[in-house]
Amino acid sequence: MHRNIEPQRNWIVSAGLGLVLAVGAGSRGAIALPVLLSSDEIARQMQDLSDWDLAGQEISCTYSFGNFVEAIAFVNRLVEPAEAAAHHPDLTIAYNRVTLRLTTHDAGGLTDLDFRVAQAARAATNPGGSPLTCAAME
């Protein structure tokens, strides 16, 4: 309970880890909101995802697998890291190709969450082996 907070104000408090806590009037708790990354921070993050595409406030990648079953197995491996981050990619599946698009809709752009899920997706492409790179669009 937030007895010392003025009821007509909204408070934003930094929580670290690229999140802020927002406490609204009459609120009984705080909501963690992701913080938008600056252009420099996005450029720095993209260095680790050089095969991913950056278009405006979205990053995307298409992975190509041997067949439909492998593509769906990859999507299934994305469930746990996406749920753990409470951040879910937009997915398009076309037989053996899976396209991921990431942006943080609530924040209106790219946040650390997008890059964490992208890194998890890369790792999930080939567990135990070298990760796949994004396929060139035909």
Side-chain angles (χ1 to χ4, degrees):
M1 200 162 173
H2 301 283
R3 292 185 184 144
N4 296 331
I5 294 178
E6 297 173 38
Q8 300 304 316
R9 295 197 181 193
N10 290 328
W11 296 83
I12 306 278
V13 180
S14 175
L17 301 173
L19 299 173
V20 294
L21 296 178
V23 181
S27 166
R28 291 195 175 171
I31 300 169
L33 302 172
V35 176
L36 284 175
L37 297 176
S38 69
S39 296
D40 288 343
E41 291 167 322
I42 291 169
R44 198 168 23 263
Q45 294 270 16
M46 287 301 294
Q47 289 176 356
D48 293 333
L49 295 169
S50 59
D51 56 329
W52 282 62
D53 292 321
L54 171 64
Q57 290 294 312
E58 177 181 271
I59 57 174
S60 64
C61 176
T62 298
Y63 289 112
S64 184
F65 298 90
N67 55 48
F68 179 74
V69 173
E70 290 177 16
I72 296 303
F74 164 68
V75 170
N76 286 333
R77 288 190 299 271
L78 290 177
V79 172
E80 188 175 321
E83 283 293 302
H87 192 63
H88 307 93
D90 292 331
L91 299 169
T92 303
I93 303 168
Y95 181 62
N96 68 330
R97 296 170 73 86
V98 178
T99 300
L100 291 87
R101 288 185 175 78
L102 287 158
T103 190
T104 305
H105 300 285
D106 292 345
L110 291 167
T111 68
D112 276 331
L113 290 173
D114 300 303
F115 290 94
R116 280 193 263 161
V117 172
Q119 291 288 1
R122 171 183 274 167
T125 60
N126 190 17
S130 296
L132 300 178
T133 57
C134 300
M137 294 306 294
E138 298 172 354

